[in-house]
Amino acid sequence: MDAVRVALLREVLAGTEWLGATRRFAGALRGSVVSHGGGLLLVGTPEYEPWHLAAHLVDEAAWSGTPELAPTLVRHDARPSDPAHLAVGLGRLEAARRGETLLVVAPGGPAAPLVERVSDARRAGATVLALGPGQGELPCLAHEILAVPDGSELDLDTVQHLVSAAAGENALPAPRGRRRFRDRVARLAEHLTAPPPARW
């Protein structure tokens, strides 16, 4: 999905909770990797490897001048004979440490072996973010989760497009001087009406 289609999708979604939710999640992702200087690991399930999200994050990293957003795709069936960018297996999760960010994309929720590896990475100090149904054990492990339940208005692939695009956006510079009263009230109202983030 190119920038024009993302912009059109955002227009369609104006007034829904999805725009704010995807931007907050993208902000958590970008904030985590930028503050630690990179180290983004991206993993899915054996049935669903997030190739498309990996490619979009690589593009956003280049376009935004934020190389920390470029992920390492961790694959369940990686083989040493695969090209280097596709040959990273689940053993990489065992090596995850403080300062690294692990983004888990699991449409149906991950199976127990992956949950154990994610739990180990969290205990080792990695920041865990999750995109998925919002049920099961993964939400309990994630520092930040964006729930995409079955039957919601958007599917997981569309949400990934919104997240990757928002992660690559450069924040506008903060206005100088005192903000107008209306701006402060609008910001407070936005903060108060935003859904609470799901946290561990």
Side-chain angles (χ1 to χ4, degrees), residues 50-82:
W51 304 78
H52 208 84
L53 179 58
H56 279 291
L57 285 171
V58 167
D59 289 343
E60 293 295 339
W63 294 332
S64 68
T66 313
E68 299 90 349
L69 282 175
T72 297
L73 180 62
V74 178
R75 301 182 57 225
H76 289 262
D77 295 321
R79 296 179 301 271
S81 60
D82 290 335

Side-chain angles (χ1 to χ4, degrees), residues 85-142:
H85 68 288
L86 299 176
V88 179
L90 291 176
R92 179 62 181 87
L93 298 184
E94 295 170 8
R97 295 291 175 258
R98 182 172 307 284
E100 293 186 301
T101 302
L102 173 57
L103 174 54
V104 183
V105 181
L114 180 57
V115 169
E116 289 173 21
R117 290 175 188 263
V118 171
S119 178
D120 291 344
R122 181 185 166 110
R123 275 197 300 276
T127 300
V128 177
L129 290 89
L131 280 169
Q135 300 171 348
E137 296 178 71
L138 187 57
C140 296
L141 294 174

Side-chain angles (χ1 to χ4, degrees), residues 92-191:
R92 179 62 181 87
L93 298 184
E94 295 170 8
R97 295 291 175 258
R98 182 172 307 284
E100 293 186 301
T101 302
L102 173 57
L103 174 54
V104 183
V105 181
L114 180 57
V115 169
E116 289 173 21
R117 290 175 188 263
V118 171
S119 178
D120 291 344
R122 181 185 166 110
R123 275 197 300 276
T127 300
V128 177
L129 290 89
L131 280 169
Q135 300 171 348
E137 296 178 71
L138 187 57
C140 296
L141 294 174
H143 293 91
E144 193 78 37
I145 182 164
L146 179 54
V148 187
D150 287 338
S152 61
E153 303 90 356
L154 298 182
D155 62 13
L156 187 60
D157 288 336
T158 303
V159 170
Q160 289 176 70
H161 284 292
L162 291 169
V163 166
S164 62
E169 289 176 341
N170 291 314
L172 295 173
R176 293 184 174 257
R178 295 175 57 117
R179 288 183 294 191
R180 295 183 314 168
F181 177 75
R182 182 188 302 172
D183 295 335
R184 292 193 311 251
V185 170
R187 185 167 180 194
L188 176 62
E190 181 180 308
H191 177 73

